[in-house]
């Protein structure tokens, strides 16, 4: 009996000694993540994640290319007639954690597992930042980690499927932890860790979020240097720290070069529809608006999925950081108002909000005018992850002070001031709650946002059913915490008890918001293959062709899920000449002959025209048109579709601006001539006969290989002429005829052609990245440097430990 009693204290003592270790925190945080997401983890469902669900074809393409060809695909054929992958930003194709999860789990499951993994990593990295970077008590570290990993600004990105944003937010505390260490004690190992963190952010493929990470790192370095100068540190130390910082940034950019720079140059060189500067209105779109500012206080004010009445077209996420972090961050600054770092984090929080408000404040106007890159991005509200990070960090610093006895060490005069201040804060909270409980008062403040009658109706529904209940819940929670803090100042209650209550109430507050954005769905309908598609899936194995899914026939970008290729769809970096060819995002040119207008001016589908196609569909190799008749999907063959490789005996030179018009009006016969923008250079001895005199246009094609990165066919041409290649033109293509690389031209605005002699030939089509080869060596060298430094320090550390053992022996 006494032996068991002795063991229990020993076990408790052992556990207490391990609470500050990273692995113990990892277990605790991991169990919390499993508990919160158990409905998904222990099911066969997928998480609702809008953008990911409309991009399933890309995930199928990537996984199949890796499994079948053991290669990263350079060409994405399933939508928009085909487009480059890496150059046009094919998601997190180089990001190791994402790649591993994708390969070891099914596609619908991997989407959710990747995001949940990064929720866990965010908590672990934030714990390490507080524990290793600030030396804070484990209880406070766990509290801060829970607030960070589950804060709605982060977790709510699950619903829209913004996984890249989540990856970057997860890496932020790691970068700041190592940056803090680097600027305090510069050394090579820490420099590589900062560079590694920045590089991983870049490899996530979310360039705008990484751009904002670099903003924060820059301001942190600037502030640290200013504080060092104020503290009269030696110039040598300041310069050394600065050199290490900039080397870390360069190293991170080098590690992520193969992800970032190909897509950057692709946009800069105006291949993408995003290449042009679209002005202030574009850059300031999808920002916060004044009603959404109140949602940083009570998220249900406007940022609810079902009752959104804000000024953005729609809202699928929340910027809410949690009531406890916002409340305690104010206390952290009030407790030490002269601390430069607390002022810094307070300025970051406030400045972030002002920038996120876009056109509504001067901050964004100034940044737009003077900061490079701001004009290229939209959705200023993305920067709000700095708000949640800053407030949660400040809250953790406040709890650290409280646990360290700051209140107890105060003079009686300061205690009295704090007690009075907490009472005043309680009064302010009560006053605000009462005022915002008055619907007329609130409508008066935001009348301009509710001019639309529908928004006014949504506001009224939301106000009563969502906002009011949670407004009063906020008041109860806030008054309870203020009362506990007041009691703690008077030594009436232990700080650990206060922190425990803050953790529980704060957890309830943020999880109630998180669960609004965590929804499960059955993945089977997204991968269900309609019987009408089965013959097409079999046919495409023998020769390539494309489908045109009319509106409502398939989900957006749905063809690629089944291994088919489509001419429609959506991508942010669509090649601009292809968008022009198809008639913008509405596919006007593809639909031009298929849609009629009745006497009442109503459009209708001309079913009899479906099998005839039109010049645009025919050139695009759209062999089948998919249309839905009620619940039945029909695949109607386009009898006039050209093959992927076809023959024309001649060409015409046409200004690119008039090609669409000439095709639409049948000004030239696209079956006998290709439209070029300049006279081609023909091979010696190449003879072009008059197209009208050639009666044999036969062009036999036998496909031998067709994979994402390599296509091979045997062709036979009856005469000299041009081989039209119905692949979207891009300078990354390599075309070989009989093993020799041959020049090719942009034809019919968006496609390719090359001269071909009469006779039989072997044709090879190889898509490449136009830029990747320049940057792979850069990323490889950066990676090798980082690994070499880590190995060096690992060996040195092992030798040091061995030396200590020998000395002890």
């Amino acid at each position: 009996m006494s032996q068991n009693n002795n063991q229990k204290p020993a076990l408790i003592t052992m556990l207490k000694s391990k609470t500050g270790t990273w692995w113990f925190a990892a277990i605790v945080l991991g169990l919390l993540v499993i508990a919160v997401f158990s409905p998904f983890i222990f099911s066969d469902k997928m998480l609702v994640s809008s953008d990911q669900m409309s991009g399933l074809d890309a995930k199928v393409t990537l996984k199949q290319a890796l499994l079948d060809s053991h290669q990263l695909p350079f060409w994405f054929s399933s939508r928009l007639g085909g487009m480059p992958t890496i150059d046009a930003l094919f998601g997190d194709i180089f990001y190791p954690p994402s790649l591993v999860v994708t390969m070891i789990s099914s596609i619908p499951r991997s989407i959710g597992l990747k995001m949940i993994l990064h929720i866990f990593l965010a908590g672990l990295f934030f714990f390490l930042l507080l524990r290793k970077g600030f030396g804070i008590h484990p209880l406070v570290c766990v509290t801060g980690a829970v607030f960070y990993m589950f804060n709605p600004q982060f977790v709510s990105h699950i619903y829209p499927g913004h996984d890249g944003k989540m990856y970057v937010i997860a890496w932020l505390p790691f970068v700041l932890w190592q940056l803090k260490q680097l600027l305090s004690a510069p050394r090579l190992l820490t420099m590589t860790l900062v560079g590694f963190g920045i590089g991983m952010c870049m490899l996530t493929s979310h360039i705008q979020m990484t751009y904002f990470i670099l903003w924060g790192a820059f301001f942190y370095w600037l502030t640290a240097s200013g504080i060092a100068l104020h503290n009269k540190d030696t110039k040598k130390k300041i310069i050394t720290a600065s050199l290490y910082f900039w080397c870390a940034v360069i190293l991170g950019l080098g590690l992520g070069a193969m992800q970032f720079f190909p897509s950057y140059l692709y946009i800069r060189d105006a291949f993408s529809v995003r290449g042009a500067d679209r002005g202030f209105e574009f850059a300031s779109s999808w920002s916060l608006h004044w009603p959404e500012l109140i949602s940083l206080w009570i998220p249900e004010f406007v940022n609810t999925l079902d009752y959104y009445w804000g000024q953005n077209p729609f809202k699928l996420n929340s910027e809410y950081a949690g009531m406890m972090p916002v409340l305690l961050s104010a206390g952290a600054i009030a407790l030490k108002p002269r601390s430069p770092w607390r002022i810094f984090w307070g300025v970051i929080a406030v400045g972030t909000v002002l920038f996120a408000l876009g056109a509504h404040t001067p901050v964004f106007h100034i940044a737009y005018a003077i900061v490079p890159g701001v004009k290229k991005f939209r959705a200023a509200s993305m920067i709000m992850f700095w708000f949640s990070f800053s407030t949660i960090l400040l809250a953790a610093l406040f709890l650290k002070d409280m646990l360290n006895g700051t209140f107890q060490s105060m003079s009686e005069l300061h205690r009295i001031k704090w007690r009075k201040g907490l009472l005043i804060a309680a009064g302010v909270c009560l006053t605000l709650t009462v005022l915002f409980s008055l619907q007329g008062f609130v409508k008066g403040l935001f009348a301009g946002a509710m001019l639309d009658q529908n928004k006014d109706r949504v506001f009224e529904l939301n106000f009563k059913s969502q906002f009011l209940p949670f407004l009063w819940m906020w008041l109860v929670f806030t008054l309870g915490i203020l009362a506990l803090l007041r009691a703690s100042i008077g030594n009436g209650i232990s700080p650990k008890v206060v922190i425990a209550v803050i953790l529980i109430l704060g957890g309830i507050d943020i999880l109630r918001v998180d669960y609004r954005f965590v929804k499960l769905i059955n993945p089977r309908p997204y991968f269900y293959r309609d019987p009408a598609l089965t013959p097409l899936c079999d046919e495409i194995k023998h020769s390539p062709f494309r489908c045109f899914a009319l509106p409502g026939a398939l989900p957006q970008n749905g063809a690629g899920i089944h291994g088919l290729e489509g001419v429609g769809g959506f991508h942010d970096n669509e090649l601009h000449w292809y968008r022009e060819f198809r008639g913008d995002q509405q596919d006007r040119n593809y639909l031009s002959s298929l849609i009629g207008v009745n006497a009442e001016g109503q459009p209708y589908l001309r079913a009899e025209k479906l099998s005839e196609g039109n010049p645009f569909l025919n050139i695009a190799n759209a062999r089948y048109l998919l249309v839905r008749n009620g619940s039945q999907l029909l695949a109607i063959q386009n009898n006039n579709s050209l093959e992927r490789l076809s023959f024309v005996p001649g060409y015409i030179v046409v200004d690119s601006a008039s090609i669409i018009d000439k095709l639409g009006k049948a000004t030239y016969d696209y079956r006998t001539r290709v439209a070029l923008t300049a006279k081609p250079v023909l091979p010696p001895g190449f003879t072009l006969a008059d197209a009208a005199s050639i009666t044999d246009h036969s062009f036999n094609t036998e496909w031998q290989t067709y994979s994402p990165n390599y296509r091979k066919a045997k062709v036979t041409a009856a005469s000299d002429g041009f081989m039209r290649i119905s692949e979207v033109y891009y300078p990354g293509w390599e075309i070989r005829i009989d093993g020799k690389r041959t020049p090719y031209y942009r034809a019919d605005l968006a496609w390719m052609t090359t001269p071909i002699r009469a006779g039989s030939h072997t044709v090879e089509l190889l898509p490449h990245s136009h830029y990747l080869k320049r940057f792979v060596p850069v990323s490889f060298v950066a990676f090798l440097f980082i690994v070499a430094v880590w190995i060096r320090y690992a060996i040195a550390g092992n030798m040091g430990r061995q030396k200590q053992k020998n000395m002890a022996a």
Side-chain angles (χ1 to χ4, degrees):
M1 187 76 175
S2 61
Q3 184 178 4
N4 290 337
N5 288 336
N6 289 334
Q7 286 177 348
K8 288 180 180 179
L11 179 61
I12 293 172
T13 302
M14 186 272 290
L15 288 175
K16 284 183 176 180
S17 68
K18 301 301 182 183
T19 54
T21 60
W22 71 268
W23 59 264
F24 188 87
I27 292 172
V28 172
L29 298 173
L31 290 174
L32 285 173
V33 170
I34 291 171
V36 169
F37 292 99
S38 57
F40 164 73
I41 294 173
F42 300 110
S43 76
D44 61 351
K45 302 290 193 294
M46 69 184 292
L47 290 174
V48 174
S49 45
S50 177
D51 284 6
Q52 301 302 309
M53 292 154 72
S54 64
L56 291 172
D57 61 327
K59 301 182 186 306
V60 170
T61 297
L62 174 61
K63 191 165 185 175
Q64 288 302 121
L66 291 172
L67 290 175
D68 297 342
S69 306
H70 309 294
Q71 293 178 337
L72 292 175
F74 291 125
W75 196 253
F76 183 28
S77 298
S78 72
R79 66 177 92 151
L80 299 171
M83 58 185 300
T85 55
I86 293 166
D87 295 358
L89 208 57
F90 194 58
D92 45 10
I93 193 169
F94 294 122
Y95 183 56
S98 180
L99 207 55
V100 171
V101 175
T102 298
M103 296 308 295
I104 65 176
S105 60
S106 67
I107 289 172
R109 297 288 293 168
S110 68
I111 292 170
L113 290 174
K114 287 185 287 186
M115 292 188 280
I116 291 172
L117 169 65
H118 283 81
I119 289 172
F120 165 73
L121 289 177
L124 181 59
F125 288 155
F126 203 87
F127 176 91
L128 291 170
L129 167 67
L130 297 179
R131 184 69 180 153
K132 303 291 186 181
F134 290 91
I136 296 177
H137 189 278
L139 176 60
V140 177
C141 294
V142 169
T143 301
V146 169
F147 285 170
Y148 186 73
M149 69 196 293
F150 291 128
N151 86 83
Q153 192 282 326
F154 179 38
V155 175
S156 67
H157 286 306
I158 289 176
Y159 188 82
H162 295 165
D163 57 354
K165 296 178 185 177
M166 296 184 72
Y167 302 164
V168 175
I169 293 170
W171 280 99
L172 173 58
F174 176 87
V175 173
L176 259 294
W177 166 35
Q178 294 302 322
L179 182 56
K180 184 178 186 298
Q181 304 284 76
L182 179 67
L183 296 179
S184 299
R187 65 177 187 148
L188 188 61
L189 176 62
T190 317
M191 184 199 80
T192 61
L193 289 169
V194 174
F196 176 75
I198 293 172
M200 291 298 283
C201 289
M202 294 189 66
L203 292 175
T204 65
S205 83
H206 208 295
I207 304 306
Q208 185 172 355
M209 293 288 283
T210 305
Y211 179 59
F212 288 146
I213 286 272
L214 293 174
W215 275 19
F218 171 78
F219 287 125
Y220 189 94
W221 162 75
L222 204 62
T223 302
S225 300
I227 292 172
L229 285 171
H230 182 267
N231 293 339
K232 298 182 179 179
D233 288 357
T234 63
K235 290 183 179 180
K236 181 180 178 181
K237 181 180 178 181
I238 296 171
I239 293 172
T240 301
S242 297
L243 286 174
Y244 271 92
F245 166 74
W246 285 107
C247 286
V249 171
I250 293 170
L251 186 62
L253 293 175
L255 183 61
M258 62 183 182
Q259 175 71 276
F260 169 69
F261 286 103
S263 58
Y264 168 76
L265 294 175
Y266 174 85
I267 294 172
R268 187 205 67 177
D269 293 346
F271 292 118
S272 168
V273 291
R274 298 176 63 182
D277 181 3
R278 286 185 267 182
F280 183 82
E281 185 177 351
F282 170 81
S284 61
S285 62
W286 297 97
S287 62
L288 295 186
H289 301 271
W290 292 117
E292 290 165 299
L293 187 64
I294 305 300
S295 283
L296 300 180
W297 167 34
I298 309 294
E300 288 80 8
F301 186 69
V302 66
N303 284 2
T304 53
L305 289 172
D306 299 324
Y307 297 98
Y308 179 72
W309 53 272
Q311 292 170 272
N312 285 307
F314 56 87
K315 189 82 170 182
L316 300 180
N317 69 292
S318 173
E319 282 79 25
Y320 185 58
M323 70 168 67
M324 296 302 167
V326 174
L327 177 67
L328 298 178
S329 63
I333 296 174
L335 193 61
K336 293 184 178 179
R338 295 183 180 180
S339 168
W341 281 115
R342 298 201 183 187
I343 294 171
F344 170 79
W345 290 116
V347 169
I348 290 292
V350 174
T352 291
V353 173
L354 294 176
F355 180 88
L357 282 165
H360 304 287
T361 71
V363 173
F364 185 85
H365 287 264
I366 294 170
Y368 180 85
I370 66 175
V371 180
V374 172
K375 296 178 180 180
K376 293 294 182 183
F377 297 115
R378 62 175 181 172
S381 60
M382 282 188 197
I383 203 172
M384 286 298 291
F385 71 94
W386 275 113
F387 174 78
S388 59
F389 178 87
S390 302
T391 53
I392 295 169
L393 178 58
L394 284 169
L397 295 176
F398 177 83
L399 296 179
K400 171 191 175 184
D401 292 341
M402 188 174 68
L403 197 59
N404 289 345
T406 300
F407 287 127
Q408 285 71 29
S409 63
M410 282 181 178
S411 65
E412 188 59 30
L413 179 62
H414 275 91
R415 291 186 187 183
I416 293 172
K417 287 182 177 180
W418 264 89
R419 291 193 194 102
K420 287 182 178 179
L422 291 172
L423 282 175
I424 293 171
V428 170
C429 291
L430 179 60
T431 303
L432 285 173
T433 302
V434 172
L435 284 175
F436 275 82
S437 296
L438 304 174
Q439 185 170 323
F441 172 78
V442 177
K443 288 188 74 171
L445 285 177
F446 300 104
M450 288 179 278
L451 297 176
D452 181 271
Q453 187 175 0
N454 184 57
K455 288 188 176 183
D456 184 66
R457 182 181 62 82
V458 174
F459 165 79
E460 291 186 359
L461 290 172
N462 178 69
F463 189 87
K464 296 173 183 176
S465 66
Q466 300 291 316
F467 176 63
L468 274 183
F470 290 109
L471 173 65
W472 284 93
M473 189 198 84
W474 171 84
L475 180 66
V476 172
F477 279 22
T478 301
L479 293 181
I481 294 303
L482 292 176
L484 284 173
L485 292 176
R486 195 168 189 274
S488 178
I489 292 174
N491 295 315
I493 189 169
S494 167
K496 288 186 178 179
V497 173
V498 177
I499 294 171
V501 174
I502 287 172
L503 175 58
I504 293 170
L505 294 183
I508 293 171
D509 172 54
I510 57 180
L511 288 176
R512 72 177 173 84
V513 181
D514 287 345
Y515 279 126
R516 293 177 180 269
F517 298 91
V518 179
K519 300 180 184 296
L520 302 183
I521 193 171
N522 186 351
R524 292 183 183 89
Y526 290 89
F527 293 87
Y528 169 74
R529 179 177 293 178
D530 191 283
L533 299 180
T534 301
L536 277 60
C537 295
D538 293 333
E539 184 177 341
I540 202 170
K541 295 175 183 177
H542 304 289
S543 66
F545 61 85
R546 296 193 180 92
C547 301
F548 176 47
L550 275 75
L554 291 177
Q556 187 182 62
N557 305 326
I561 297 173
H562 310 287
L564 297 173
E565 299 183 10
V567 296
F570 173 79
H571 194 287
D572 278 325
N573 282 324
E574 180 182 353
L575 286 156
H576 71 81
W577 43 73
Y578 181 76
R579 179 169 289 187
E580 185 181 351
F581 180 87
R582 68 174 175 133
D584 216 336
Q585 292 174 281
Q586 294 75 36
D587 293 318
R588 287 191 303 271
N589 293 332
Y590 288 152
L591 292 167
S592 59
S593 64
L594 309 181
I595 303 296
V597 179
N598 62 23
E600 288 75 32
Q602 299 297 317
Y604 68 93
L605 181 65
R606 301 172 67 186
E608 74 281 2
K609 294 291 184 179
L610 294 177
S611 60
E612 299 178 11
N614 59 45
F616 302 97
L617 288 169
N618 298 342
I619 291 174
N621 181 222
R623 187 183 297 176
Y624 290 95
L625 279 68
L626 305 177
V627 61
R628 192 165 291 278
N629 182 19
S631 61
Q632 184 182 13
L633 181 67
L634 302 175
I636 299 172
Q637 185 165 358
N638 173 13
N639 297 320
N640 295 320
S641 167
L642 298 179
E643 295 299 319
R644 188 64 55 91
L645 302 178
S646 58
F647 177 80
V648 291
Y651 71 92
I652 60 170
V653 177
V654 182
D655 181 79
S656 61
S658 63
I659 290 178
I660 295 297
D661 182 63
K662 290 183 180 297
L663 270 175
K665 294 178 179 178
T667 305
Y668 74 96
D669 182 3
Y670 63 89
R671 293 185 177 279
T672 60
R673 290 178 292 178
V674 289
L676 306 178
T677 57
K679 187 175 181 179
V681 177
L682 300 178
F686 195 83
T687 303
L688 283 180
D690 181 19
S693 66
I694 298 178
T695 57
D696 186 1
H697 294 172
S698 62
F699 193 74
N700 297 321
T701 304
E702 179 186 347
W703 287 96
Q704 298 180 331
T705 304
Y706 191 87
S707 66
N709 293 341
Y710 183 71
R711 294 102 189 267
K712 181 179 179 181
K714 290 282 188 181
V715 301
T716 303
S719 63
D720 290 356
F722 287 86
M723 179 175 64
R724 177 187 273 124
I725 306 168
S726 290
E727 295 284 4
V728 177
Y729 174 84
Y730 186 62
W733 280 100
E734 177 184 349
I735 298 175
R736 299 175 187 165
I737 296 180
D738 298 327
K740 296 181 180 180
R741 192 163 185 166
T742 185
Y744 56 93
Y745 304 92
R746 182 149 65 103
D748 305 308
L749 186 65
W751 309 92
M752 297 190 293
T753 191
T754 186
I756 191 166
R757 295 183 184 276
S760 296
H761 306 279
T762 299
V763 176
E764 297 168 283
L765 309 175
L766 297 88
H768 302 294
S769 165
H770 192 45
Y771 304 102
L772 184 63
K773 287 183 180 180
R774 306 183 203 176
F775 300 106
V776 166
V778 177
S779 294
F780 186 67
V781 169
F783 174 74
L784 286 182
F785 178 78
I786 290 172
V787 171
V789 171
W790 290 356
I791 292 173
R792 175 199 164 195
Y793 274 88
I795 294 173
N798 185 57
M799 292 175 63
R801 287 189 293 271
Q802 190 63 43
K803 186 176 180 180
Q804 288 180 351
K805 287 182 181 179
N806 294 337
M807 291 176 64

